[in-house]
Amino acid sequence: MPQTDFDVVVVGGGPAGSTAATLIAKEGHRVALLEKERFPRYQIGESLLPATVHGVCRLLDVTEDMEAAGFQVKRGGSFRWGTSPEPWNFLFALSPKLSGPTSYAYQVDRMTFDHILLKNAARHGVDVREESAALEAVRTGGRVTGVRYTDPDGHHRELSAFYVLDASGNTGRLHRAVGGIRHYSDFFKNLAVFGYFEGGKRLPGPDRGNILCAAFDEGWIWYIPLSDTLTSVGAVLNRDQAGRIQADREKTLLESIERCDIVRDYLSEATRVTEGTYGEIRVRKDYSYANSAFWAPGIALIGDAACFIDPVFSTGVHLATYGGLLAARSVNSVLAGDLPEERVFTEFESRYRREYAVFYEFLSAFYDMQVHEDSYFWKARKVTRAEGLGDMEAFTTLVGGAFSGEKALVDAETMTSKFATSSAELADAVARTGPARTETGERMSALFGPPVVGEVMEEMNRIQRRGVTGPETLEAPLLDGGLVPSPDGLRWVDPAVPAAES
Ligand code: FAD
């Protein structure tokens, strides 16, 4: 093999880049990460899924850091959506793959969350270089073999590597080195205008940390409780509202809130933050796209550099960290000499696209406001082709990020020591709230009714029992003739090759 400065150069220190860099460094490889900003830096995308928090974050060894950060616990979502006049809820605990200790996620301040992941990458031996902006890919023959970048003093530098991972988000340009086209969605042509409020109301009891999404005539609003007092509020509007937003973003956001009853009520005693990082009203557009190719020899795209759909079910960080995990496995397998490049990156791209496609299909149907919420649950079961699951179970499994069923994302067994605390917490929350009456309608907490809780507790017990039955065999391939993750989740294994030969 030729001499290189690093085995891998990762471009971008968001969730995708930090995840991939850490999981490759964990296998002992030499990794550099170039990040054009100095952290902490602002980013939107604050609502996480359980598969990220309990799957990828556990693999990254940041579980304790996440707990110590004191992020708002998110047990599910609340929606004023579809034909029902009243809001409806879901709980991650209703998914058989997520119930028990892994049935919650966090609402995070991205400055803190992304910094935790970046510092963790450095702790695992990644050479993290902030204020270092990648300029272009270096090629040797038909292969990407490195990156040119500017260092903090503005000097042009170059690093060679066996692999470059582009995790530079939606603004990066490196993705062009893969040679594909970025296809913008014909369906999701929305814009988002967002800001922050102090003193907004909270949903009652266990729903307190839920993301609330509320539709109104011109679009929908997210309401994400980031702490007891701080709330992230954003309006997602059709592109035909671009002129209004351009003319006055603050006015557009406040008018949208005014037209959305439930959010208007929740913010009736709140004030908009007008200073500091959270004081700005920001706008994002053209964010729904997928690249036609996710890899080429020597380079792969992960996170927003590869694809993003829509904010409604908080899938961005999930897709970014899942993509980071899949790419890390692929790189680790080639560098270890386990499997050929073509084979592992085909697995990477196929799994990544499958996850993207299922969310895309489901979210497209979710934007149909003319149906009852039961139709959304039914649709989730249809797109996931989930066997043996009810509609609600399929829905919560999908929106919890557990549709792939990958052990690395839903491995509750490793968390059994926390079982007692989590189930007691949930039981306590239920006892305090009861089957629910709220200012916004009875249905807001109806899913916490005792029969459902009984089923959830039963599932928690099953998971706990499974936890003491010892190591499991390899997972089944997700794709025909495909690869499977190694037991530690960090490499690929060919299930057709007996263990002694591989
Ligand atoms: P990023 O987080 O964007 O990180 C990329 C990094 O690369 C940045 O730090 C950047 O500085 C760096 N970089 C860029 N160019 C270069 C360069 N040339 N050289 C070096 N470094 C570079 N997702 C959720 O999960 N939950 C949500 O609630 C949610 N809400 C959203 C709301 C809106 C309106 C939008 C548009 C998106 C939302 N998302 C949400 C999606 C989420 O923001 C992204 O999917 C996620 O941040 C992607 O992570 P990433 O690591 O790929 O990219």
Side-chain angles (χ1 to χ4, degrees):
M1 273 199 169
Q3 288 295 312
T4 56
D5 298 318
F6 287 91
D7 294 318
V8 180
V9 175
V10 176
V11 178
S18 292
T19 297
T22 303
L23 298 180
I24 295 168
K26 273 183 100 166
E27 288 282 274
H29 303 302
R30 302 166 304 147
V31 186
L33 185 153
L34 304 176
E35 165 54 54
K36 80 171 178 194
E37 308 282 342
R38 177 150 297 276
F39 276 32
R41 62 89 180 90
Y42 177 85
Q43 178 57 291
I44 191 62
E46 294 142 333
S47 198
L48 303 187
L49 304 188
T52 303
V53 170
H54 302 289
V56 177
C57 286
R58 178 181 47 80
L59 276 180
L60 293 173
D61 310 318
V62 291
T63 302
E64 284 177 14
D65 294 338
M66 297 280 285
E67 281 168 4
F71 295 129
Q72 171 67 57
V73 170
K74 166 189 174 187
R75 297 194 186 281
S78 300
F79 284 78
R80 224 315 285 127
W81 201 280
T83 50
S84 296
E86 298 297 342
W88 49 272
N89 278 353
F90 71 85
L91 277 175
F92 294 125
L94 295 174
S95 159
K97 290 188 176 151
L98 298 168
S99 66
T102 57
S103 64
Y104 67 92
Y106 292 119
Q107 315 285 16
V108 298
D109 147 24
R110 285 287 300 272
M111 286 175 280
T112 306
F113 174 66
D114 289 20
H115 209 188
I116 287 175
L117 298 191
L118 192 69
K119 284 188 284 190
N120 180 58
R123 210 158 52 214
H124 281 81
V126 175
D127 183 342
V128 174
R129 302 185 183 186
E130 293 176 76
E131 296 178 64
S132 298
L135 299 171
E136 59 182 350
V138 177
R139 288 179 177 282
T140 308
R143 193 175 176 87
V144 169
T145 53
V147 177
R148 284 193 195 87
Y149 73 102
T150 49
D151 72 11
D153 297 322
H155 297 126
H156 283 209
R157 307 262 177 217
E158 193 171 313
L159 288 177
S160 59
F162 297 119
Y163 286 101
V164 172
L165 297 180
D166 178 16
S168 60
N170 68 312
T171 57
R173 295 283 169 266
L174 211 61
H175 64 87
R176 293 175 182 160
V178 166
I181 296 167
R182 182 162 282 187
H183 290 294
Y184 287 87
S185 169
D186 290 332
F187 184 81
F188 297 100
K189 290 184 169 170
N190 297 327
L191 296 151
V193 51
F194 43 99
Y196 294 82
F197 291 79
E198 273 291 339
K201 291 181 196 165
R202 293 291 175 257
L203 292 163
D207 299 332
R208 187 177 176 82
N210 283 9
I211 182 171
L212 166 66
C213 297
F216 67 110
D217 284 349
E218 285 129 19
W220 63 275
I221 294 189
W222 77 71
Y223 188 93
I224 300 176
L226 291 179
S227 73
D228 282 349
T229 57
L230 182 67
T231 311
S232 165
V233 182
V236 176
L237 306 171
N238 192 281
R239 201 156 54 182
D240 60 17
Q241 302 293 312
R244 247 178 95 205
I245 295 178
Q246 213 168 12
D248 192 335
R249 12 178 106 179
E250 179 176 18
K251 187 161 169 253
T252 310
L253 177 60
L254 297 180
E255 280 173 359
S256 300
I257 291 166
E258 200 49 39
R259 286 175 204 170
C260 183
D261 295 359
I262 183 167
V263 174
R264 185 182 60 221
D265 171 41
Y266 270 67
L267 289 176
S268 57
E269 286 155 30
T271 45
R272 188 172 85 70
V273 180
T274 52
E275 286 176 358
T277 310
Y278 285 140
E280 199 181 316
I281 303 273
R282 295 176 168 89
V283 174
R284 283 282 299 270
K285 57 177 182 158
D286 298 333
Y287 48 69
S288 307
Y289 55 78
N291 282 51
S292 59
F294 285 2
W295 75 281
I299 184 166
L301 313 179
I302 50 179
D304 281 8
C307 56
F308 177 64
I309 312 171
D310 184 81
V312 73
F313 273 107
S314 314
T315 53
V317 175
H318 164 65
L319 284 169
T321 52
Y322 186 50
L325 166 64
L326 296 175
R329 264 183 209 154
S330 306
V331 167
N332 289 339
S333 301
V334 181
L335 292 179
D338 290 351
L339 287 159
E341 178 175 280
E342 173 86 28
R343 184 95 199 269
V344 296
F345 279 101
T346 301
E347 184 75 29
F348 152 78
E349 179 155 348
S350 307
R351 284 197 186 222
Y352 201 177
R353 280 196 190 282
R354 181 177 184 266
E355 192 78 7
Y356 181 86
V358 166
F359 276 118
Y360 190 98
E361 190 182 342
F362 175 69
L363 294 179
S364 308
F366 195 73
Y367 267 83
D368 179 357
M369 301 282 178
Q370 304 312 316
V371 296
H372 189 264
E373 65 260 26
D374 290 346
S375 297
Y376 305 134
F377 308 148
W378 172 83
K379 182 71 184 176
R381 189 160 62 79
K382 189 154 176 281
V383 298
T384 56
R385 295 184 186 86
E387 283 171 24
L389 292 188
D391 293 355
M392 180 50 117
E393 290 174 325
F395 173 80
T396 47
T397 299
L398 175 66
V399 302
F403 147 72
S404 69
E406 276 219 30
K407 219 163 156 304
L409 299 184
V410 296
D411 192 1
E413 286 90 327
T414 60
M415 307 280 289
T416 48
S417 61
K418 292 199 177 158
F419 168 78
T421 332
S422 291
S423 56
E425 248 176 40
L426 179 58
D428 181 49
V430 171
R432 275 186 281 110
T433 317
R437 252 163 206 66
T438 77
E439 358 169 357
T440 44
E442 292 202 351
R443 302 165 76 238
M444 289 297 278
S445 286
L447 290 175
F448 279 99
V452 174
V453 172
E455 287 163 26
V456 171
M457 295 301 173
E458 176 52 30
E459 181 58 26
M460 287 181 183
N461 286 332
R462 277 206 297 277
I463 287 169
Q464 195 181 26
R465 281 198 297 275
R466 242 192 292 148
V468 292
T469 58
E472 292 186 15
T473 49
L474 290 175
E475 291 169 38
L478 270 189
L479 312 157
D480 279 350
L483 302 171
V484 298
S486 57
D488 66 3
L490 298 183
R491 292 195 205 174
W492 293 117
V493 175
D494 184 347
V497 178
E501 289 176 34
S502 59

